[in-house]
Amino acid sequence: MALSSIELDLLGTRYTITVSDPTWARALTELWDDFVTTAASPGLPVEIDVEGDKTWLRLPGEPRLPFDEPWTLAEVLRYHLAEGALRNTSGLVLVHGAAVVRDGTAVLLVGPSGAGKTSLTLALLAAGWSLGSDDAAPLDPATGLIHPFPKSLGIRDPALWHAFAPDDWTPPWPEHEKSPVLVPPRLFARMTRPFPAGWIAFVEFDGDDPPRLERLSSARTATRLAEHTRDLSPGAVAALAELARSAPGAELRYPSSGAGLRLVEALTHIGRNEPETG
């Protein structure tokens, strides 16, 4: 079987993925579309081989790992490629949050894993917002702008995905209950150039409580941002403080994606001089 090679560039870290299966070649090209590049020299080597009922993955410097179904492998690959790129990134402040953009200005959706960022991001994208990033927002301290990092979204709730799924895309493999469906970013409008953050939302999904939006002071916003930023340096702290001064921050708690969408819309109408708390 002929081998295919896919070259990726993630924030300056390059990977060369070699695959032995045409379905994998098409799927990875689509899932990583915004990062596909051409290069004269190879990047860090990644191999995917289909052998009978197993698919094998070899990451850079690691032994081969077997997988019984493709979505789990695709998710593991997504995590390791992104984490490798983020570890290698220098000069950017990495906030753990999604970024959605409307009219050129972003809302950062900040929170830990499980806070509901991806579900809320999907609802906002379906409402016409553009994708800047799904869970890592790289902030350039020199300019105050966020660099786009629109990798594929991992949707764990099939019902949520089916509510927004476009008719012109068919997943390459059947859904699997133990692994998320990875959704290619090309299905949504997305950013290709750095953009400013206009608002910062610390989000939390809570199905039992009513929706709540609480405005935060710039000092509290900077402190909360630091809690969700990796590799804090004095320069990173200064960049977060400047970001918090320029963008209103708020805590958003919501019982559903629809309620979260309405809270984000309300946040974007808060004036910079309205009362703060915290």
Side-chain angles (χ1 to χ4, degrees):
M1 183 179 295
L3 296 178
S4 298
S5 181
I6 302 162
E7 303 286 342
L8 303 180
D9 187 326
L10 280 67
L11 299 174
T13 295
R14 291 190 36 248
Y15 297 97
T16 298
I17 306 178
T18 303
V19 295
S20 63
D21 179 84
T23 299
W24 270 102
R26 290 190 298 270
L28 291 177
T29 300
E30 188 168 45
L31 291 174
W32 294 94
D33 179 55
D34 286 327
F35 304 97
V36 174
T37 185
T38 57
S41 59
L44 297 171
V46 176
E47 299 174 5
I48 297 176
D49 296 308
V50 178
E51 299 176 1
D53 60 353
K54 298 284 187 183
T55 304
W56 294 81
L57 170 66
R58 186 192 299 273
L59 295 163
E62 300 291 337
R64 295 174 84 211
L65 298 173
F67 292 85
D68 294 323
E69 61 88 26
W71 285 121
T72 302
L73 189 156
E75 171 66 3
V76 169
L77 179 63
R78 185 180 76 124
Y79 173 81
H80 280 278
L81 295 189
E83 281 298 302
L86 295 174
R87 283 196 306 270
N88 294 336
T89 298
S90 62
L92 297 177
V93 178
L94 303 174
V95 179
H96 187 197
V100 290
V101 184
R102 186 172 62 184
D103 299 329
T105 304
V107 175
L108 295 187
L109 307 174
V110 182
S113 297
K117 297 189 301 296
T118 299
S119 299
L120 183 53
T121 297
L122 185 60
L124 287 160
L125 295 177
W129 292 66
S130 297
L131 176 64
S133 171
D134 78 318
D135 66 358
L139 170 66
D140 186 344
T143 64
L145 300 178
I146 306 295
H147 283 246
F149 195 51
K151 58 185 176 64
S152 54
L153 279 70
I155 310 299
R156 294 190 175 276
D157 183 352
L160 178 66
W161 167 237
H162 293 161
F164 299 108
D167 295 331
D168 63 346
W169 183 69
T170 300
W173 307 288
E175 294 172 2
H176 192 269
E177 61 181 7
K178 294 184 179 180
S179 186
V181 172
L182 300 189
V183 179
R186 74 158 182 84
L187 301 182
F188 313 103
R190 57 201 188 276
M191 302 303 294
T192 58
R193 296 181 179 180
F195 49 87
W199 298 270
I200 303 166
F202 299 95
V203 301
E204 180 182 357
F205 172 81
D206 189 330
D208 297 325
D209 286 347
R212 181 170 66 87
L213 187 158
E214 179 182 354
R215 178 75 189 276
L216 300 177
S217 67
S218 58
R220 181 59 176 153
T221 299
T223 300
R224 292 291 305 275
L225 279 171
E227 295 171 355
H228 298 282
T229 300
R230 66 171 70 192
D231 301 328
L232 281 175
S233 65
V237 172
L240 296 178
E242 180 59 33
L243 177 61
R245 281 192 291 269
S246 64
E251 291 183 345
L252 273 62
R253 182 173 296 175
Y254 50 93
S256 67
S257 296
L261 172 61
R262 291 187 289 274
L263 289 179
V264 171
E265 296 281 357
L267 175 63
T268 61
H269 289 90
I270 290 178
R272 265 65 173 176
N273 296 321
E274 290 190 12
E276 303 171 341
T277 64

